[in-house]
Amino acid sequence: MRIPHHSRSHRAIDFLPPFVRLGCLCLVLCAGIPADVHGSLVQEKRVELTITEGTSIAAALSPDGRTVAFDLLGAIWTVPLEGGTATRVTDDLGDTRQPAWSPDGRRIAFQSYRDGNWHVWTVGVGGGQLRQLTHGPFDDREPDWSHDGTRIAFSSDRAGSYDVWALEIGTGALRRITSATGNEFAPAWSPDNREVAYVSEQQSSRGIWVAVEGGSTRLVASVAGLAAGPSWSPEGTVLVYNLVEGGRSRLVVTDPAREASSARPQPSALSVTAPDEDVFPFRVSWLSDTEFLYTADGKLKRRSLESPRSTVVEFQATVSFVRSAYTRRRRDFDSGDPRPVRGVVAPTVNPAGDDIAFVALGDVWVMSGGRPVRLSDDEFVEMDPAWSPDGSHLVFGSDRAGTMDLWLRDMRTGEERQLTRLPGTETAPAWSPDGARVAFIAGRGEVHAVDVRSGEVTKLHEPLFNPGRPSWSADGRRLALSVLRPYSSRFREGRNEILIMSLGGEADRLVNPLPHRSIGSRGIDGPVWSPDGRQMAFVTEGVLWTVPVDSTGEPIGAATVVANELAGSPSWTGNSRSLVYQATDRLKRVSLDDGNIEEIALNLTWRPRQPSGELIVHAGRVFAGDSETLDRNMDIIVEGNRIREIVPHRRELHGGRVIDATSNTVMPGLIEMHTHQSPAAGEVLGRIWLAYGITTVREPASDAYGALERREAIGAGVRTGPREFFTGGTFDGSRVYYAGTPAMNAGTQVELELERAKMLGYDMIKTYVRLPDNLQERVIAFAHENGMPVSSHELYPAVALGADGVEHIRGTSRRGYSPKVSYLNRTYDDVIQLLAHSGMTITPTIGIMGGFFVLAAKDPSMVNDPRFETLFPATVVERTRTRAEAVRSSLSVRESRLKPFGETVRRVVSAGGRVIAGTDSPIIPQGLSLHTELQHFVDAGLTPFEALQTATSVAAEALGVGDELGSLEPGMLADMVVVEGDPLRDIRDARRVKLVIKNGEVYTLDDLLQRPIP
């Protein structure tokens, strides 16, 4: 693994007098090396690669049998059947997949994501005449050209589930071929064009089906695993399809004329590929009635039904791109000067007045008479304030009793009492119009209401997936909230719609005043019912809308934009004639009578807490981070929040506070590079991070205001926790999945979100799976212009467009399969080369792919640790132990399936690539999960030194702070961990934390195990 670029002399410049420092900078500039005192430079790099293997590639043979079209890196390429140099047919920005030839051999059909949805396109064989054949807000996939050239069959979610459709080439008319309730996809025309074979996911009869011209259907192969890509032989005598089950991916042959039993899966004896082959899940192409072309093991292959041997069709595809230089924006870690508060969360206006309640700096505040007043003042997390209809009370969430509960404050007396006591979390409170009840979201998405007087809790709705904050109708008979509505059950993404939930026994209703656009982000951005019940307010496409509704919540007029700027947290005034909302970094009020918008000044600042004085750590062993050699018997001298010196131990240096670590190893604070935090976890989350030696976290998706509140509250010393590097919601496309993700239908909203990223000072931007490549290109350009790195789930063309990182070896993909890893978890030459030679980072997250529980099963001490037992909720502890115990019986199988992930990590590092450690917690427990990730890296073949670098120096470089964090050197920030043992010999010793120093402040393990006193 590459050693970080910084050195001890690099940081030493900060300790020189200003005029000498300027002279050094001039020398750098005169030498022709770009530099900026405000940021580190990411160097320009030209990359040219010849790819000989592809991950999850699909191929099709031309009608004359001479040319293979295949998809690689999101483009269509052609290569002679005998192999050779591949020719690119489409460009980088279309994400073109799954080619199919026209019968005359002049055009190639494929699915493309060019316009932000999957549609069927065609292109001339020479690369010209690009043409889009299907359109609209739906996804159209897996095209197959009929043998007479008149139609293209494809799968589409146009009718609420995936079905097979046919497009008439001449007229553009669409005809639905299948209509079962289960998803039906991957169509293939029979040789006589009278039948279409396809995959069906009908629960009672999953398998390969055939639809006959005229409407009848029959099951021809029942399967227990995942089926894909059926294909007819030229004479129509057999069907071959892909089947993934039992840790194998193979091709299976069946008789299309037979009528199969749904109760009897296809026998494994009919497999026609080798047991160890990694067959990709796409249609084969036929050279004869017995020989076919398919893709497996990263290659194009030929095989006969009559022979167990395959022949590889070798290809060489050359790609080149430039990784442009840009200067990273820097953080100020040293100043104690006042800074404006930007982490203002959930502002809400008093319906009985003009006061505005909000959360900032760890507490609830009220803006009253133009002056912010702090209502709470403790180390606990407060969230989601909501006014009673008469303004006399405020309800809010707080973890002061151990978990996130609702608390009630009498605004006249200041008295507070606990309102809910459920075992999980209670968030997102909303008052009924009569002030008698408060609705809220409990646990994993259940809707409840609590009687304010008695405290009696009533369950109103079964769990919903990450619903938004509820809002009451004026008559108190209904609740409205934003929920996810997927387009099909085949893929998880969809749009957010308004769920109207009746409290009188009527059925739920979904309404959407803007079809195919998302209403709110399932957070605190609507829908919000007006007090008079005649309107709803919500945020769509980043701006504030209202729509007139009847008493049941049904829209009765057109939705209109009332504030054409980036908006959030809409809150009605009591007269229903104006709205208060969050406009990026300020609060505003808009009048619905005349459209006038006024700013509400929020004059609130905070100061970073900076330690002073001298601290000496007498270390028996020091792992500095940039060498595999331990320094022994050293004194680390800290001045304020930075390391002043690291010198051989001298007793005379031991003035002031001394930490005795003579029997321990001192190493840099660990950096968790992929986690997601929620205020509902409470203040204990900050202590969890530090207790596991993690002094810095990066959140590649979060509520921007919540993340800023965490950064500012921890930075001000209100709460204990790590350094925060954050971004806001992911930049995604028109369909979304997770709550808090803006659904971006057009480039205009992307521009609004980019401006928010700039104004709020994001540390990075994360693009997500449904953002089309042309908008990805725009996001990367803007981010780099403003000193921010970009990461995503995408590898190519993201890497060619300049993206800095990619998250997960296996992660969500808009394609339904991953271009980074196969179903058997194997990665091929294209992925390895791109990662190794580009400088792009990858965060593997092996733990969330089963790795965490494999290690927990092998080493029960992980979950019997006092930190885990004390700091995590009892339900998490029990659930984790139970699942680990269940895994123990199948360890060998699970380890074999994990092994390819580790092999990818080893190959990337061996080739010079940059791996960084992250876990995607809280899917798996925070803190502990990072140590299991490091263990997986070592198990894969990395040395403990290389593994530690993924969470120290290399991670710090990826954050753009390699000269501030990630190693122990003079001038670096004083973030370090004291551990028992030697983690360079046994990586497990890295989790044996005794003491943590973050920003020069000391936290013993005993300190971190203690809850604050309410």
Side-chain angles (χ1 to χ4, degrees):
M1 180 169 289
R2 187 164 56 87
I3 301 297
H5 71 271
H6 67 268
S7 66
R8 288 170 171 80
S9 60
H10 181 74
R11 272 302 309 175
I13 192 173
D14 289 343
F15 292 89
L16 297 174
F19 67 91
V20 178
R21 198 181 309 170
L22 181 60
C24 292
L25 180 61
C26 289
L27 286 173
V28 171
L29 293 174
C30 291
I33 302 172
D36 191 315
V37 294
H38 300 295
S40 59
L41 182 75
V42 177
Q43 298 286 349
E44 180 170 290
K45 184 173 186 176
R46 182 173 296 276
V47 180
E48 182 169 312
L49 302 172
T50 298
I51 307 297
T52 60
E53 293 179 347
T55 303
S56 301
I57 55 175
L61 184 65
S62 62
D64 63 9
R66 298 171 60 184
T67 306
V68 180
F70 65 102
D71 58 27
L72 176 72
L73 305 180
I76 302 298
W77 303 68
T78 58
V79 67
L81 180 60
E82 61 268 21
T85 300
T87 301
R88 181 193 286 264
V89 177
T90 60
D91 64 19
D92 272 347
L93 299 181
D95 197 2
T96 52
R97 308 276 172 177
Q98 301 195 45
W101 289 84
S102 63
D104 61 8
R106 298 170 60 184
R107 300 187 65 78
I108 301 171
F110 50 84
Q111 66 179 53
S112 173
Y113 198 71
R114 186 175 295 273
D115 74 346
N117 285 96
W118 289 111
H119 287 299
V120 178
W121 293 63
T122 63
V123 67
V125 174
Q129 302 175 319
L130 188 66
R131 181 185 173 198
Q132 184 173 358
L133 300 186
T134 64
H135 303 79
F138 307 103
D139 277 350
D140 303 324
R141 304 174 185 250
E142 304 151 337
D144 187 46
W145 219 307
S146 65
H147 301 282
D148 60 8
T150 62
R151 293 163 290 174
I152 292 178
F154 61 95
S155 65
S156 178
D157 58 9
R158 293 168 177 266
S161 68
Y162 266 84
D163 297 295
V164 175
W165 293 68
L167 168 73
E168 297 288 341
I169 301 296
T171 65
L174 295 176
R175 180 172 62 88
R176 188 176 177 184
I177 295 177
T178 69
S179 57
T181 54
N183 293 307
E184 298 160 314
F185 54 92
W189 291 100
S190 64
D192 62 6
N193 301 309
R194 298 181 58 192
E195 297 180 315
V196 175
Y198 58 94
V199 178
S200 176
E201 292 183 341
Q202 298 177 59
Q203 289 304 310
S204 61
S205 49
R206 296 167 59 94
I208 307 301
W209 286 67
V210 169
V212 182
E213 193 77 25
S216 66
T217 61
R218 67 179 185 278
L219 174 68
V220 298
S222 179
V223 301
L226 298 174
S231 177
W232 303 75
S233 64
E235 297 297 325
T237 54
V238 299
L239 270 171
V240 170
Y241 62 93
N242 175 253
L243 181 63
V244 178
E245 66 172 345
R248 290 183 58 193
S249 179
R250 54 202 172 97
L251 294 177
V252 176
V253 62
T254 190
D255 179 358
R258 68 192 286 269
E259 187 86 25
S261 167
S262 62
R264 189 174 62 250
Q266 191 77 0
S268 59
L270 297 179
S271 174
V272 293
T273 45
D276 61 342
E277 271 191 293
D278 184 9
V279 182
F280 299 152
F282 309 108
R283 281 192 301 267
V284 306
S285 290
W286 295 85
L287 288 82
S288 69
D289 207 42
T290 58
E291 188 181 10
F292 56 86
L293 177 84
Y294 67 110
T295 57
D297 301 330
K299 298 289 189 178
L300 309 175
K301 291 186 174 185
R302 298 170 59 169
R303 179 183 288 276
S304 170
L305 294 175
E306 301 166 345
S307 171
R309 302 185 62 181
S310 64
T311 302
V312 173
V313 178
E314 298 286 2
F315 66 86
Q316 301 86 40
T318 299
V319 294
S320 61
F321 49 89
V322 174
R323 304 271 293 170
S324 299
Y326 74 100
T327 302
R328 293 286 287 269
R329 188 171 58 203
R330 293 301 295 260
R331 287 253 304 262
D332 178 3
F333 293 108
D334 298 301
S335 170
D337 296 338
R339 307 180 186 192
V341 170
R342 300 198 185 280
V344 176
V345 185
T348 179
V349 65
N350 185 344
D354 294 326
D355 294 348
I356 298 174
F358 59 92
V359 169
L361 297 175
D363 291 305
V364 178
W365 298 69
V366 168
M367 173 78 83
S368 182
R371 183 173 64 93
V373 177
R374 199 172 208 147
L375 297 188
S376 58
D377 189 3
D378 54 41
E379 298 178 54
F380 300 104
V381 173
E382 273 77 44
M383 61 185 296
D384 298 342
W387 294 96
S388 63
D390 63 2
S392 64
H393 288 78
L394 198 67
V395 67
F396 58 91
S398 176
D399 66 324
R400 61 186 67 171
T403 60
M404 189 59 63
D405 303 300
L406 299 185
W407 290 71
L408 190 67
R409 181 184 178 94
D410 188 318
M411 297 301 292
R412 293 165 295 191
T413 66
E415 293 181 0
E416 294 180 352
R417 65 181 174 92
Q418 189 173 348
L419 191 57
T420 63
R421 291 177 170 80
L422 299 183
T425 61
E426 297 95 68
T427 61
W431 288 84
S432 62
D434 60 5
R437 293 180 293 171
V438 173
F440 61 93
I441 305 298
R444 299 190 173 189
E446 294 177 353
V447 184
H448 289 66
V450 57
D451 185 279
V452 174
R453 285 181 176 270
S454 68
E456 181 182 354
V457 173
T458 304
K459 182 176 176 180
L460 304 179
H461 203 284
E462 294 300 322
L464 299 164
F465 176 64
N466 295 153
R469 190 172 188 165
S471 180
W472 293 79
S473 62
D475 58 13
R477 298 173 59 186
R478 295 171 180 83
L479 289 171
L481 58 166
S482 179
V483 298
L484 178 66
R485 183 179 184 181
Y487 274 77
S488 77
S489 59
R490 185 182 178 197
F491 298 99
R492 67 185 193 175
E493 294 86 7
R495 59 189 180 272
N496 299 325
E497 296 194 339
I498 301 172
L499 175 69
I500 304 297
M501 194 177 77
S502 169
L503 305 186
E506 298 171 20
D508 291 348
R509 288 184 295 114
L510 285 171
V511 299
N512 192 336
L514 298 168
H516 297 292
R517 289 187 272 183
S518 279
I519 307 301
S521 63
R522 308 196 328 268
I524 53 175
D525 53 1
V528 186
W529 229 314
S530 61
D532 64 9
R534 296 179 179 178
Q535 299 182 82
M536 284 187 189
F538 55 88
V539 174
T540 287
E541 296 182 349
V543 298
L544 184 58
W545 300 66
T546 61
V547 63
V549 296
D550 63 19
S551 61
T552 71
E554 194 69 31
I556 55 175
T560 58
V561 175
V562 297
N564 197 14
E565 61 180 332
L566 199 64
S569 301
S571 174
W572 289 95
T573 56
N575 62 7
S576 299
R577 298 309 310 153
S578 61
L579 285 156
V580 171
Y581 64 97
Q582 199 163 18
T584 309
D585 61 344
R586 58 203 65 199
L587 301 180
K588 292 187 178 181
R589 179 186 287 107
V590 58
S591 168
L592 301 189
D593 293 325
D594 57 14
N596 180 59
I597 297 176
E598 60 176 326
E599 185 174 333
I600 302 169
L602 182 62
N603 300 313
L604 189 60
T605 61
W606 70 285
R607 287 178 181 268
R609 185 171 77 178
Q610 298 290 11
S612 60
E614 187 177 86
L615 170 71
I616 295 93
V617 181
H618 181 191
R621 298 173 297 276
V622 174
F623 167 53
D626 58 359
S627 170
E628 294 190 69
T629 302
L630 292 175
D631 297 320
R632 298 182 181 274
N633 198 25
M634 305 294 288
D635 285 336
I636 304 171
I637 303 170
V638 175
E639 185 72 38
N641 70 330
R642 289 192 181 271
I643 299 171
R644 190 179 74 207
E645 294 180 273
I646 303 177
V647 296
H649 167 63
R650 300 204 315 270
R651 182 173 292 278
E652 61 269 24
L653 295 175
H654 287 198
R657 184 174 183 184
V658 178
I659 301 295
D660 182 4
T662 53
S663 61
N664 304 116
T665 300
V666 181
M667 65 181 193
L670 297 175
I671 302 172
E672 158 66 270
M673 290 296 284
H674 191 127
T675 188
H676 305 286
Q677 302 182 86
S678 166
E683 65 76 33
V684 70
L685 183 54
R687 292 187 286 124
I688 287 172
W689 292 124
L690 297 184
Y692 283 97
I694 297 163
T695 55
T696 297
V697 299
R698 182 186 73 157
E699 284 194 85
S702 61
D703 172 72
Y705 302 98
L708 280 166
E709 189 277 334
R710 280 190 290 279
R711 174 189 284 184
E712 293 169 353
I714 291 170
V718 176
R719 292 201 300 269
T720 297
R723 300 180 189 277
E724 169 93 10
F725 287 77
F726 82 104
T727 187
T730 56
F731 280 65
D732 210 350
S734 59
R735 300 185 185 191
V736 296
Y737 180 66
Y738 289 111
T741 301
M744 301 185 193
N745 288 301
T748 52
Q749 186 181 352
V750 169
E751 296 300 322
L752 290 174
E753 293 292 344
L754 288 172
E755 192 60 27
R756 186 195 329 242
K758 178 181 177 180
M759 294 180 70
L760 295 184
Y762 288 11
D763 296 302
M764 65 173 293
I765 288 176
K766 182 181 178 184
T767 61
Y768 209 52
V769 296
R770 295 283 302 197
L771 190 74
D773 292 331
N774 65 321
L775 293 182
Q776 171 112 302
E777 183 177 33
R778 168 58 184 150
V779 169
I780 293 170
F782 180 95
H784 288 180
E785 288 166 9
N786 290 279
M788 293 176 283
V790 177
S791 188
S792 74
H793 283 207
E794 298 298 309
L795 180 56
Y796 197 93
V799 63
L801 300 175
D804 301 85
V806 59
E807 306 302 312
H808 316 296
I809 294 176
R810 175 179 293 286
T812 307
S813 169
R814 61 181 173 239
R815 300 157 197 89
Y817 56 91
S818 174
K820 294 180 296 188
V821 64
S822 72
Y823 274 122
L824 299 189
N825 300 334
R826 301 175 192 173
T827 291
Y828 294 94
D829 172 69
D830 54 342
V831 174
I832 302 300
Q833 282 211 59
L834 288 168
L835 290 172
H837 298 291
S838 66
M840 195 184 204
T841 63
I842 182 168
T843 318
T845 63
I846 296 174
I848 62 166
M849 295 175 285
F852 176 86
F853 288 99
V854 164
L855 290 185
K858 293 174 67 175
D859 182 6
S861 69
M862 286 171 39
V863 292
N864 294 326
D865 187 301
R867 289 169 295 184
F868 192 66
E869 295 172 330
T870 303
L871 297 175
F872 285 89
T875 52
V876 172
V877 173
E878 182 59 30
R879 189 164 60 243
T880 303
R881 288 174 173 170
T882 299
R883 187 167 172 187
E885 181 63 33
V887 164
R888 193 166 291 124
S889 62
S890 56
L891 267 179
S892 60
V893 172
R894 293 173 184 271
E895 287 184 298
S896 68
R897 292 178 181 174
L898 285 172
K899 188 176 180 180
F901 294 128
E903 179 66 10
T904 296
V905 170
R906 186 197 61 77
R907 291 172 64 196
V908 170
V909 171
S910 297
R914 300 200 301 161
V915 171
I916 53 178
T919 67
D920 212 5
S921 57
I923 295 175
I924 49 181
Q926 292 104 332
L928 176 58
S929 56
L930 185 66
H931 291 278
T932 66
E933 196 74 9
L934 299 182
Q935 179 69 59
H936 279 297
F937 293 169
V938 172
D939 291 345
L942 271 61
T943 66
F945 169 62
E946 290 172 324
L948 285 170
Q949 283 195 304
T950 69
T952 55
S953 55
V954 176
E957 274 197 311
L959 291 173
V961 290
D963 55 354
E964 302 271 16
L965 294 168
S967 61
L968 303 181
E969 306 175 23
M972 303 288 277
L973 289 163
D975 286 13
M976 62 191 84
V977 188
V978 178
V979 301
E980 293 184 21
D982 178 1
L984 290 182
R985 289 197 303 176
D986 188 342
I987 193 64
R988 292 173 295 183
D989 287 347
R991 79 171 191 252
R992 299 173 65 192
V993 176
K994 302 297 292 180
L995 178 144
V996 178
I997 299 171
K998 188 213 113 181
N999 202 47
E1001 297 194 85
V1002 179
Y1003 302 88
T1004 69
L1005 193 56
D1006 286 342
D1007 293 337
L1008 296 170
L1009 292 177
Q1010 299 298 317
R1011 285 190 68 243
I1013 299 173

